[in-house]
Amino acid sequence: MCGIVGCVGRPDETLDVLMHGLSKLEYRGYDSAGVALANSAVEIEKHEGELVNLERAVDDDAPSGPVGIGHTRWSTHGPPSDRNSHPHADCEGEVAVIHNGIIENFQEVKDELTAAGHEFTSDTDTEVVPHLIESALADGASHEEAFRAAIERVEGSYAIAAVFAGGDAVFCTRQDSPLVLGIDDDATYLASDVPAFREFTDRVVYLEDGEFARIDADGWDVSTADGEPVEKTIHTVNWDAEETGKSGYDHFMLKEIHEQPRALRQCLRGRVDELGGQVELDELAGVRPTTVQFVACGTSYHAALYGAELFREAGVPAQAFLASEYVTSPPPIGDALVVGVTQSGETADTLSALREARQRGARTLALTNVVGSTVARECDHTLYIRAGPEIGVAASKTFASQLAALNLFAFAATDDHDREAIGALRDLPSTVQEVIDDSSAASVAEAYHDADAYFFIGRGLNYPVALEGALKLKEITYRHAEGFAAGELKHGPLALVTDNSPVIAITTGDGELARKTVNNVKEVEARDAPVIAVTDGQSDIERYADHVLTIPETQPRTAAVLANVQLQLLAYHTADQLGRSIDKPRNLAKSVTVE
Ligand code: AGP
């Protein structure tokens, strides 16, 4: 949801460093991209559309300077266009500003500035900041004082950075939007996310809300809004720069689907006692919730639905809530542990829901992928899913790792010690590998890539998988797809089913859930809908299916993970056949830092 980047200390390479950083942050938004480099003047180059447009422009006419900032945009205020692209400048072009977030009081500030004679050239909320800075400079403030004065006036969520004509520093600050510094011996970077500068350094400093940083050729310092120095810890990142490349795959999403066995191994390593069949999570020692409320969005919400089911099966009341709904009308919390499931750890809706829960006295737990993310810093406990960096906007390996981590959490925090299920969890990396190796999803996608709509059905733990299958497909193919609890189809959605709307039925095991799902499949088959069965072969669903995507026989909770891999591949290959922009689907961004 907008990516920002900055660099000081590599005077001959500032532009290259910024462009590299933007290429790593493009997953956060691709409506436009721009850079500003400061020397005696501020030189801005910015263009609507993907980064490639900016790349072409700077090839012809490269701005230069020892200090610089860059931005990749996901539009909130004003449509994608050159004029709404960041960086934004003041009337005189003396200061350039980039911003991720939303300035809630921008209209009031803009009206005031306009009345005072400032001329605005964009529809954005961001543009008030350079004009506020300009006003403060006119009143005699220094660059740093002017930056601080402007921030004092704005309300909302932001990671903001500014450079000045004739200045040798970048100033930045954050409130409810991520911002991290990269520390090297002779250069300092800032970014919304570590991949932007991971190639150059593995040492990072996470800024907290309300902190300001000044970066110049002598290094960096962090202070409070009142200017008090803050001593910060330098963390070392434990993953390599190569992990953020495509490694020969056509798309990040395909690479990340294939990385799932490794991601799962990392998630499980040292946490499952192979001999004793026990799960041990040092980070959650003593956490034994009597009730659990999960809050999450999108794919993570589907993982939360799955997690809630695991707890209920273990006898612990649990429910999953959409974070955006929870924040406005939370249920009675009582002594519930409130668990935020969020890959990025920066999703604004999820953070707000957790803050609301904390305000009401709840203890909170973060289930996240990103070390040092806001959610990890704000919650009482954190369980990392350890999937490694995920770049594709459509979540794939992180969903599998969330499901694995939720299993670990449920085993560690309840009396559920089902040895067979723990064994299946331990074997998950190799069973996922089998599914990837043997999948025929590409040929199924070929048969149905032109369908009118796609319906996904499942029961029990396969219900969240059905929802996730549909979300993945709609997200990257732009085709209509819906997931339903299989029993619900006959209560309305069946009216939508035609001979050109495949029904993808996830049916695992041979118990009552499978038997009932097979009945639902017969109902759609009778109405001429093509049926694609995702099955472990234990039920007789194959008799009613036009195509079968097979998974190995396993326990119900791991079967859901395996079935999802087939659905990821189905979505991927369908989108590929349709020629979609798989890693950067239209209108979306990976990390949604606005509510
Ligand atoms: C998943 O493919 C989507 N990109 C989206 O639904 C995502 O899961 C959601 O925005 C939540 O993100 P988070 O896990 O980082 O909180």
Side-chain angles (χ1 to χ4, degrees), residues 141 433 570:
Q433 188 66 60
L570 183 63

Side-chain angles (χ1 to χ4, degrees), residues 297-300 341-345 347 393-395 402 471-472 475 592:
C297 307
T299 290
S300 294
V341 183
T342 164
Q343 180 285 128
S344 62
T347 299
V393 165
Q402 284 171 337
L471 175 64
K472 213 83 314 172
E475 194 177 16
V592 185

